[in-house]
mmCIF file of all heavy atoms in Angstrom:
data_model
loop_
_atom_site.group_PDB
_atom_site.id
_atom_site.type_symbol
_atom_site.label_atom_id
_atom_site.label_comp_id
_atom_site.label_asym_id
_atom_site.label_seq_id
_atom_site.Cartn_x
_atom_site.Cartn_y
_atom_site.Cartn_z
ATOM 1 N N ILE D 270 -13.257 -4.871 25.904
ATOM 2 C CA ILE D 270 -13.058 -6.249 26.352
ATOM 3 C C ILE D 270 -14.445 -6.836 26.555
ATOM 4 O O ILE D 270 -15.141 -6.528 27.518
ATOM 5 C CB ILE D 270 -12.250 -6.306 27.667
ATOM 6 C CG1 ILE D 270 -10.907 -5.571 27.512
ATOM 7 C CG2 ILE D 270 -12.039 -7.747 28.105
ATOM 8 C CD1 ILE D 270 -9.919 -6.235 26.624
ATOM 9 N N ARG D 271 -14.874 -7.697 25.631
ATOM 10 C CA ARG D 271 -16.270 -8.140 25.633
ATOM 11 C C ARG D 271 -16.403 -9.475 26.348
ATOM 12 O O ARG D 271 -16.827 -9.549 27.479
ATOM 13 C CB ARG D 271 -16.776 -8.228 24.185
ATOM 14 C CG ARG D 271 -18.281 -8.368 24.041
ATOM 15 C CD ARG D 271 -18.685 -8.306 22.575
ATOM 16 N NE ARG D 271 -18.188 -9.443 21.814
ATOM 17 C CZ ARG D 271 -18.880 -10.554 21.595
ATOM 18 N NH1 ARG D 271 -20.100 -10.677 22.068
ATOM 19 N NH2 ARG D 271 -18.361 -11.537 20.897
ATOM 20 N N LYS D 272 -16.043 -10.578 25.685
ATOM 21 C CA LYS D 272 -16.166 -11.906 26.293
ATOM 22 C C LYS D 272 -14.840 -12.653 26.309
ATOM 23 O O LYS D 272 -14.543 -13.379 27.247
ATOM 24 C CB LYS D 272 -17.202 -12.754 25.534
ATOM 25 C CG LYS D 272 -18.646 -12.326 25.728
ATOM 26 C CD LYS D 272 -19.562 -13.319 25.021
ATOM 27 C CE LYS D 272 -21.033 -12.986 25.247
ATOM 28 N NZ LYS D 272 -21.908 -13.976 24.563
ATOM 29 N N GLY D 273 -14.074 -12.517 25.214
ATOM 30 C CA GLY D 273 -12.848 -13.300 25.117
ATOM 31 C C GLY D 273 -13.103 -14.780 25.084
ATOM 32 O O GLY D 273 -12.285 -15.585 25.520
ATOM 33 N N SER D 274 -14.250 -15.160 24.549
ATOM 34 C CA SER D 274 -14.709 -16.545 24.661
ATOM 35 C C SER D 274 -14.142 -17.425 23.554
ATOM 36 O O SER D 274 -13.612 -16.959 22.557
ATOM 37 C CB SER D 274 -16.230 -16.595 24.629
ATOM 38 O OG SER D 274 -16.716 -16.009 23.442
ATOM 39 N N LEU D 275 -14.321 -18.725 23.751
ATOM 40 C CA LEU D 275 -13.942 -19.724 22.760
ATOM 41 C C LEU D 275 -15.192 -20.417 22.251
ATOM 42 O O LEU D 275 -16.035 -20.841 23.038
ATOM 43 C CB LEU D 275 -13.034 -20.787 23.383
ATOM 44 C CG LEU D 275 -11.611 -20.411 23.782
ATOM 45 C CD1 LEU D 275 -10.899 -21.636 24.306
ATOM 46 C CD2 LEU D 275 -10.863 -19.848 22.593
ATOM 47 N N GLY D 276 -15.305 -20.516 20.941
ATOM 48 C CA GLY D 276 -16.334 -21.359 20.356
ATOM 49 C C GLY D 276 -17.763 -20.917 20.577
ATOM 50 O O GLY D 276 -18.681 -21.723 20.423
ATOM 51 N N GLN D 277 -17.987 -19.655 20.929
ATOM 52 C CA GLN D 277 -19.361 -19.192 21.115
ATOM 53 C C GLN D 277 -19.881 -18.461 19.877
ATOM 54 O O GLN D 277 -20.881 -17.755 19.938
ATOM 55 C CB GLN D 277 -19.446 -18.290 22.354
ATOM 56 C CG GLN D 277 -19.204 -19.062 23.632
ATOM 57 C CD GLN D 277 -19.520 -18.245 24.875
ATOM 58 O OE1 GLN D 277 -19.988 -17.123 24.792
ATOM 59 N NE2 GLN D 277 -19.263 -18.825 26.033
ATOM 60 N N TRP D 278 -19.193 -18.661 18.769
ATOM 61 C CA TRP D 278 -19.595 -18.020 17.519
ATOM 62 C C TRP D 278 -20.992 -18.440 17.079
ATOM 63 O O TRP D 278 -21.671 -17.699 16.364
ATOM 64 C CB TRP D 278 -18.584 -18.346 16.424
ATOM 65 C CG TRP D 278 -18.207 -19.802 16.340
ATOM 66 C CD1 TRP D 278 -17.128 -20.395 16.907
ATOM 67 C CD2 TRP D 278 -18.923 -20.845 15.664
ATOM 68 N NE1 TRP D 278 -17.116 -21.744 16.650
ATOM 69 C CE2 TRP D 278 -18.210 -22.046 15.872
ATOM 70 C CE3 TRP D 278 -20.095 -20.882 14.903
ATOM 71 C CZ2 TRP D 278 -18.627 -23.261 15.348
ATOM 72 C CZ3 TRP D 278 -20.514 -22.097 14.377
ATOM 73 C CH2 TRP D 278 -19.783 -23.267 14.602
ATOM 74 N N ASP D 279 -21.419 -19.638 17.506
ATOM 75 C CA ASP D 279 -22.715 -20.124 17.029
ATOM 76 C C ASP D 279 -23.890 -19.331 17.616
ATOM 77 O O ASP D 279 -25.029 -19.510 17.187
ATOM 78 C CB ASP D 279 -22.887 -21.618 17.294
ATOM 79 C CG ASP D 279 -22.735 -21.994 18.754
ATOM 80 O OD1 ASP D 279 -22.417 -21.092 19.568
ATOM 81 O OD2 ASP D 279 -22.912 -23.174 19.085
ATOM 82 N N GLU D 280 -23.598 -18.435 18.571
ATOM 83 C CA GLU D 280 -24.656 -17.554 19.065
ATOM 84 C C GLU D 280 -25.005 -16.479 18.025
ATOM 85 O O GLU D 280 -26.062 -15.864 18.092
ATOM 86 C CB GLU D 280 -24.207 -16.869 20.363
ATOM 87 C CG GLU D 280 -23.995 -17.837 21.515
ATOM 88 C CD GLU D 280 -23.447 -17.153 22.746
ATOM 89 O OE1 GLU D 280 -23.264 -15.906 22.700
ATOM 90 O OE2 GLU D 280 -23.192 -17.839 23.749
ATOM 91 N N GLN D 281 -24.118 -16.257 17.051
ATOM 92 C CA GLN D 281 -24.353 -15.207 16.054
ATOM 93 C C GLN D 281 -24.262 -15.722 14.623
ATOM 94 O O GLN D 281 -25.022 -15.310 13.759
ATOM 95 C CB GLN D 281 -23.315 -14.096 16.250
ATOM 96 C CG GLN D 281 -23.564 -12.846 15.432
ATOM 97 C CD GLN D 281 -23.806 -11.648 16.321
ATOM 98 O OE1 GLN D 281 -23.224 -11.514 17.380
ATOM 99 N NE2 GLN D 281 -24.688 -10.756 15.897
ATOM 100 N N LEU D 282 -23.333 -16.634 14.372
ATOM 101 C CA LEU D 282 -23.152 -17.158 13.017
ATOM 102 C C LEU D 282 -24.221 -18.196 12.684
ATOM 103 O O LEU D 282 -24.537 -19.058 13.500
ATOM 104 C CB LEU D 282 -21.791 -17.842 12.899
ATOM 105 C CG LEU D 282 -20.547 -17.018 12.581
ATOM 106 C CD1 LEU D 282 -19.334 -17.930 12.590
ATOM 107 C CD2 LEU D 282 -20.662 -16.317 11.244
ATOM 108 N N ARG D 283 -24.734 -18.123 11.476
ATOM 109 C CA ARG D 283 -25.578 -19.197 10.987
ATOM 110 C C ARG D 283 -24.691 -20.342 10.502
ATOM 111 O O ARG D 283 -23.522 -20.146 10.165
ATOM 112 C CB ARG D 283 -26.472 -18.701 9.844
ATOM 113 C CG ARG D 283 -27.425 -17.581 10.272
ATOM 114 C CD ARG D 283 -28.542 -17.389 9.233
ATOM 115 N NE ARG D 283 -28.012 -17.221 7.883
ATOM 116 C CZ ARG D 283 -27.600 -16.056 7.385
ATOM 117 N NH1 ARG D 283 -27.637 -14.957 8.117
ATOM 118 N NH2 ARG D 283 -27.154 -15.989 6.146
ATOM 119 N N SER D 284 -25.252 -21.535 10.435
ATOM 120 C CA SER D 284 -24.444 -22.713 10.096
ATOM 121 C C SER D 284 -23.818 -22.587 8.717
ATOM 122 O O SER D 284 -22.669 -22.985 8.507
ATOM 123 C CB SER D 284 -25.289 -23.982 10.183
ATOM 124 O OG SER D 284 -26.372 -23.929 9.273
ATOM 125 N N GLU D 285 -24.548 -21.981 7.770
ATOM 126 C CA GLU D 285 -23.978 -21.853 6.422
ATOM 127 C C GLU D 285 -22.812 -20.863 6.407
ATOM 128 O O GLU D 285 -21.863 -21.023 5.621
ATOM 129 C CB GLU D 285 -25.049 -21.455 5.400
ATOM 130 C CG GLU D 285 -25.768 -20.143 5.671
ATOM 131 C CD GLU D 285 -27.045 -20.314 6.459
ATOM 132 O OE1 GLU D 285 -27.124 -21.264 7.259
ATOM 133 O OE2 GLU D 285 -27.968 -19.484 6.269
ATOM 134 N N GLN D 286 -22.855 -19.840 7.263
ATOM 135 C CA GLN D 286 -21.743 -18.901 7.358
ATOM 136 C C GLN D 286 -20.515 -19.591 7.955
ATOM 137 O O GLN D 286 -19.398 -19.418 7.474
ATOM 138 C CB GLN D 286 -22.150 -17.694 8.197
ATOM 139 C CG GLN D 286 -23.211 -16.817 7.539
ATOM 140 C CD GLN D 286 -23.733 -15.744 8.469
ATOM 141 O OE1 GLN D 286 -23.843 -15.964 9.679
ATOM 142 N NE2 GLN D 286 -24.083 -14.584 7.920
ATOM 143 N N ALA D 287 -20.742 -20.375 9.001
ATOM 144 C CA ALA D 287 -19.635 -21.112 9.612
ATOM 145 C C ALA D 287 -18.996 -22.071 8.614
ATOM 146 O O ALA D 287 -17.762 -22.208 8.561
ATOM 147 C CB ALA D 287 -20.133 -21.872 10.836
ATOM 148 N N LYS D 288 -19.819 -22.724 7.801
ATOM 149 C CA LYS D 288 -19.288 -23.660 6.805
ATOM 150 C C LYS D 288 -18.446 -22.937 5.758
ATOM 151 O O LYS D 288 -17.429 -23.461 5.285
ATOM 152 C CB LYS D 288 -20.431 -24.425 6.146
ATOM 153 C CG LYS D 288 -21.088 -25.445 7.075
ATOM 154 C CD LYS D 288 -22.299 -26.110 6.412
ATOM 155 C CE LYS D 288 -22.958 -27.094 7.360
ATOM 156 N NZ LYS D 288 -24.191 -27.695 6.767
ATOM 157 N N LEU D 289 -18.865 -21.729 5.371
ATOM 158 C CA LEU D 289 -18.073 -20.954 4.412
ATOM 159 C C LEU D 289 -16.684 -20.646 4.971
ATOM 160 O O LEU D 289 -15.672 -20.764 4.273
ATOM 161 C CB LEU D 289 -18.795 -19.646 4.080
ATOM 162 C CG LEU D 289 -19.976 -19.728 3.115
ATOM 163 C CD1 LEU D 289 -20.700 -18.380 3.064
ATOM 164 C CD2 LEU D 289 -19.509 -20.130 1.717
ATOM 165 N N LEU D 290 -16.615 -20.249 6.239
ATOM 166 C CA LEU D 290 -15.327 -19.937 6.849
ATOM 167 C C LEU D 290 -14.472 -21.190 7.003
ATOM 168 O O LEU D 290 -13.259 -21.159 6.765
ATOM 169 C CB LEU D 290 -15.543 -19.265 8.205
ATOM 170 C CG LEU D 290 -16.246 -17.902 8.173
ATOM 171 C CD1 LEU D 290 -16.455 -17.388 9.590
ATOM 172 C CD2 LEU D 290 -15.465 -16.887 7.351
ATOM 173 N N ASP D 291 -15.094 -22.294 7.386
ATOM 174 C CA ASP D 291 -14.351 -23.555 7.507
ATOM 175 C C ASP D 291 -13.755 -23.969 6.166
ATOM 176 O O ASP D 291 -12.605 -24.420 6.096
ATOM 177 C CB ASP D 291 -15.268 -24.662 8.030
ATOM 178 C CG ASP D 291 -15.606 -24.497 9.505
ATOM 179 O OD1 ASP D 291 -14.903 -23.754 10.205
ATOM 180 O OD2 ASP D 291 -16.602 -25.118 9.952
ATOM 181 N N LYS D 292 -14.530 -23.808 5.104
ATOM 182 C CA LYS D 292 -14.027 -24.185 3.781
ATOM 183 C C LYS D 292 -12.864 -23.297 3.359
ATOM 184 O O LYS D 292 -11.875 -23.783 2.796
ATOM 185 C CB LYS D 292 -15.143 -24.112 2.739
ATOM 186 C CG LYS D 292 -14.688 -24.569 1.347
ATOM 187 C CD LYS D 292 -15.795 -24.531 0.333
ATOM 188 C CE LYS D 292 -15.323 -25.114 -1.006
ATOM 189 N NZ LYS D 292 -14.113 -24.443 -1.533
ATOM 190 N N ARG D 293 -12.956 -21.993 3.647
ATOM 191 C CA ARG D 293 -11.853 -21.109 3.304
ATOM 192 C C ARG D 293 -10.578 -21.506 4.037
ATOM 193 O O ARG D 293 -9.483 -21.476 3.468
ATOM 194 C CB ARG D 293 -12.204 -19.656 3.643
ATOM 195 C CG ARG D 293 -13.121 -18.979 2.643
ATOM 196 C CD ARG D 293 -12.440 -18.666 1.307
ATOM 197 N NE ARG D 293 -11.388 -17.683 1.438
ATOM 198 C CZ ARG D 293 -11.567 -16.365 1.478
ATOM 199 N NH1 ARG D 293 -12.803 -15.867 1.419
ATOM 200 N NH2 ARG D 293 -10.548 -15.551 1.568
ATOM 201 N N MET D 294 -10.710 -21.894 5.304
ATOM 202 C CA MET D 294 -9.530 -22.333 6.043
ATOM 203 C C MET D 294 -8.931 -23.579 5.427
ATOM 204 O O MET D 294 -7.705 -23.710 5.311
ATOM 205 C CB MET D 294 -9.882 -22.588 7.512
ATOM 206 C CG MET D 294 -10.113 -21.343 8.339
ATOM 207 S SD MET D 294 -8.691 -20.197 8.374
ATOM 208 C CE MET D 294 -7.457 -21.175 9.237
ATOM 209 N N ARG D 295 -9.785 -24.505 5.004
ATOM 210 C CA ARG D 295 -9.271 -25.726 4.364
ATOM 211 C C ARG D 295 -8.622 -25.408 3.024
ATOM 212 O O ARG D 295 -7.684 -26.086 2.593
ATOM 213 C CB ARG D 295 -10.401 -26.741 4.178
ATOM 214 C CG ARG D 295 -10.926 -27.333 5.488
ATOM 215 C CD ARG D 295 -11.782 -28.562 5.245
ATOM 216 N NE ARG D 295 -12.945 -28.273 4.421
ATOM 217 C CZ ARG D 295 -14.117 -27.871 4.892
ATOM 218 N NH1 ARG D 295 -14.278 -27.687 6.206
ATOM 219 N NH2 ARG D 295 -15.132 -27.636 4.084
ATOM 220 N N ASP D 296 -9.104 -24.364 2.355
ATOM 221 C CA ASP D 296 -8.534 -23.977 1.067
ATOM 222 C C ASP D 296 -7.147 -23.341 1.207
ATOM 223 O O ASP D 296 -6.297 -23.497 0.337
ATOM 224 C CB ASP D 296 -9.458 -22.990 0.338
ATOM 225 C CG ASP D 296 -10.729 -23.643 -0.177
ATOM 226 O OD1 ASP D 296 -10.763 -24.898 -0.262
ATOM 227 O OD2 ASP D 296 -11.691 -22.911 -0.477
ATOM 228 N N VAL D 297 -6.933 -22.603 2.296
ATOM 229 C CA VAL D 297 -5.674 -21.851 2.425
ATOM 230 C C VAL D 297 -4.652 -22.543 3.313
ATOM 231 O O VAL D 297 -3.473 -22.160 3.310
ATOM 232 C CB VAL D 297 -5.919 -20.412 2.947
ATOM 233 C CG1 VAL D 297 -6.842 -19.647 2.018
ATOM 234 C CG2 VAL D 297 -6.452 -20.402 4.362
ATOM 235 N N CYS D 298 -5.065 -23.564 4.070
ATOM 236 C CA CYS D 298 -4.158 -24.243 4.992
ATOM 237 C C CYS D 298 -4.034 -25.721 4.652
ATOM 238 O O CYS D 298 -5.003 -26.343 4.216
ATOM 239 C CB CYS D 298 -4.636 -24.108 6.438
ATOM 240 S SG CYS D 298 -4.667 -22.425 7.063
ATOM 241 N N SER D 299 -2.860 -26.275 4.890
ATOM 242 C CA SER D 299 -2.665 -27.706 4.712
ATOM 243 C C SER D 299 -3.272 -28.452 5.908
ATOM 244 O O SER D 299 -3.589 -27.868 6.943
ATOM 245 C CB SER D 299 -1.173 -28.028 4.621
ATOM 246 O OG SER D 299 -0.544 -27.801 5.880
#
Side-chain angles (χ1 to χ4, degrees):
I270 304 290
R271 193 174 66 94
K272 289 185 177 181
S274 58
L275 290 183
Q277 292 190 4
W278 47 264
D279 57 356
E280 295 175 2
Q281 189 117 35
L282 275 177
R283 298 196 308 275
S284 61
E285 59 267 30
Q286 292 172 326
K288 289 175 181 177
L289 283 172
L290 296 177
D291 287 342
K292 183 178 185 304
R293 282 289 294 278
M294 287 302 295
R295 291 194 300 271
D296 289 343
V297 301
C298 296
S299 68

